[in-house]
């Protein structure tokens, strides 16, 4: 029996074409219709029709004539990074920071609120009021928001429910649902380290191959990027290396659980920022630091042995607390029997999760097009 030919609905084809052109415009920033036709494989009339539609919606700006390569100078067009804005929120143990940025991650407005309660309902109220206040201050209408993304230190499922968040004492908190109800809009919630991974990759133009971002702070975590996509794991817990065992002795060194029954893992509890800062005397400082670095090197070795990444990016406060951190860590990793990856420190610092939030919203926007059923 001959296979049945499936034909896409015109609406779907139009949306896929829009998606393709938008993605190319975002990458190229400044280009021409002819170049877009070549890069996309779409016909010149189709490209022109899409560009007209995107121009009417504000996504594309006409930039005038470009340099001639022997014929008529091309009419150049550019991706309008101010066509939409992204609301990004970073929740930590000490503060809630909200930002409004354009699509080039240029910050338009910021507010910082001290953390006064770990009650998620109260925090959602603070976040929603802050976002609406910033939009009002900047005179940005709500329909110009491409998306809202919240960064949290915990495991996050597809519904935006946060678990295993010892810094906040959260387990099974439906943050996406709570904040979405207040804003009457879909809200993206994602782990802070996974967002920082996206941000670091975006800043470096890393879209092919395997990259790991290691966040070394009060908590220790990792983000795994494979060909431009963050790997979530079957339970959304890929990269939760704070629970890694780098020394069997640490299994007996447990602190009591908090009220929610959430506790830090043995790696971050024994070799994270709090452990680094807990040295008892200046006389023991060098030995204490060396012991911490040695165990971080064991953690790096475990990650490398499983994933064999091309690049490891290291961020978090510990990287600045230890003088010559990257050189000292590299020296220890070099002594271990593993493939040696390239290791660098973060380019973005604490702003990595904000950059990643913008990237995550853009990627989600495109995925919604790809998920339309034919």
């Amino acid at each position: 029996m001959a296979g049945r030919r499936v034909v896409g609905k015109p609406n779907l084809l139009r949306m896929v074409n829009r998606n393709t052109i938008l993605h190319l415009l975002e990458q190229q920033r400044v280009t021409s219709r002819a170049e877009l036709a070549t890069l996309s494989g779409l016909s010149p009339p189709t490209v022109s029709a899409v560009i007209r539609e995107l121009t009417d919606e504000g996504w594309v700006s006409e930039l005038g004539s470009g340099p001639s390569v022997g014929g008529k100078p091309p009419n150049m067009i550019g991706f309008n990074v101010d066509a939409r804005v992204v609301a990004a929120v970073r929740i930590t143990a000490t503060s809630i920071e909200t930002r409004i940025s354009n699509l080039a991650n240029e910050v338009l407005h910021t507010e910082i609120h001290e953390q006064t309660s770990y009650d998620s309902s109260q925090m959602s109220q603070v976040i929603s009021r802050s976002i609406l206040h910033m939009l009002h201050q900047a005179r940005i209408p709500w329909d110009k928001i491409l998306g809202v993304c919240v960064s949290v230190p915990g495991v996050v499922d597809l519904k935006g429910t946060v678990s295993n968040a010892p810094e906040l004492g959260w387990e099974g908190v439906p943050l996406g649902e709570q904040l979405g109800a207040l804003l009457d809009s879909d809200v993206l919630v994602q782990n802070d380290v996974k967002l920082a991974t996206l941000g670091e990759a975006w800043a470096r133009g890393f879209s092919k191959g395997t990259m790991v971002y290691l966040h070394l702070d009060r908590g220790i975590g990792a983000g795994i990027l494979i060909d431009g996509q963050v790997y979530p794991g079957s339970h959304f817990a890929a990269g939760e290396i704070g629970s890694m065992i780098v020394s069997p002795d640490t299994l007996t060194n447990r602190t009591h659980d908090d009220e929610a029954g959430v506790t830090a893992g043995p790696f971050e509890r024994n070799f994270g920022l709090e452990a680094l800062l807990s040295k008892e005397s200046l006389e023991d400082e060098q030995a204490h630091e060396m012991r911490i670095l040695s165990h971080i090197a064991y953690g790096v070795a475990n990650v490398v042995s499983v994933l064999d990444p091309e690049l490891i990016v290291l961020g978090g406060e510990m990287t600045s607390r230890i003088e010559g951190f990257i050189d000292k860590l590299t020296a220890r990793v070099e002594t271990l029997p593993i493939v040696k990856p390239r290791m660098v420190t973060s380019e973005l610092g604490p702003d990595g999760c904000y950059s990643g939030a913008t990237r995550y919203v853009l990627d989600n926007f495109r995925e919604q097009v790809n998920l339309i059923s034919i």
Side-chain angles (χ1 to χ4, degrees), residues 13-18 20-21 33 36-37 40-54:
L13 296 177
R14 182 178 65 83
M15 293 299 290
V16 169
N17 289 342
R18 277 173 55 96
T20 300
I21 296 299
R33 290 167 177 79
L36 287 173
S40 67
L42 299 172
S43 69
T46 298
V47 170
S48 293
V50 171
I51 292 300
R52 278 195 301 272
E53 187 176 289
L54 294 176

Side-chain angles (χ1 to χ4, degrees), residues 322-343:
I322 299 175
E323 186 177 351
F325 174 85
I326 193 70
D327 292 334
K328 291 177 180 177
L329 180 62
T330 299
R332 282 159 178 76
V333 171
E334 289 287 342
T335 66
L336 302 175
I338 56 170
V339 174
K340 307 304 186 292
R342 184 162 68 95
M343 296 198 301

Side-chain angles (χ1 to χ4, degrees), residues 52-66:
R52 278 195 301 272
E53 187 176 289
L54 294 176
T55 302
D56 290 342
E57 295 174 15
W59 290 99
V60 174
S61 300
E62 296 282 354
L63 303 177
S65 297

Side-chain angles (χ1 to χ4, degrees), residues 115-133:
Q115 198 67 271
T116 58
S117 169
Y118 291 147
D119 179 81
S120 61
S121 297
Q122 292 185 35
M123 291 170 69
S124 294
Q125 292 278 357
V126 171
I127 292 167
S128 63
R129 285 196 299 266
S130 180
I131 290 174
L132 294 174
H133 178 255

Side-chain angles (χ1 to χ4, degrees), residues 17-30:
N17 289 342
R18 277 173 55 96
N19 186 55
T20 300
I21 296 299
L22 267 174
H23 186 41
L24 288 171
L25 280 166
E26 184 201 334
Q27 290 179 321
Q28 302 294 315
R29 290 295 175 90
V30 176

Side-chain angles (χ1 to χ4, degrees), residues 153-155 164 166 191-194 197 211-225 231-233 236-247 250-251 263-272 292 295-307 309 312-315 318 325 329 343:
V155 175
N164 192 27
N191 170 264
D192 53 359
V193 176
K194 287 182 171 64
T197 304
M211 184 193 97
V212 175
Y213 171 72
L214 295 181
H215 188 72
L216 306 171
D217 212 289
R218 181 184 177 189
I220 293 179
I224 304 161
L225 191 88
Y231 177 67
F236 310 102
E240 291 294 311
I241 64 169
S243 298
M244 183 182 289
I245 300 167
V246 294
S247 169
T250 61
L251 293 177
T263 187
F267 188 14
E268 59 194 3
R269 185 170 62 246
N270 292 279
F271 307 109
I292 295 284
H295 285 84
I296 291 174
Y298 301 152
V300 169
N302 290 340
V303 169
V304 171
S305 297
V306 173
L307 296 171
I312 292 182
V313 180
L314 297 119
M318 291 182 73
F325 174 85
L329 180 62
M343 296 198 301

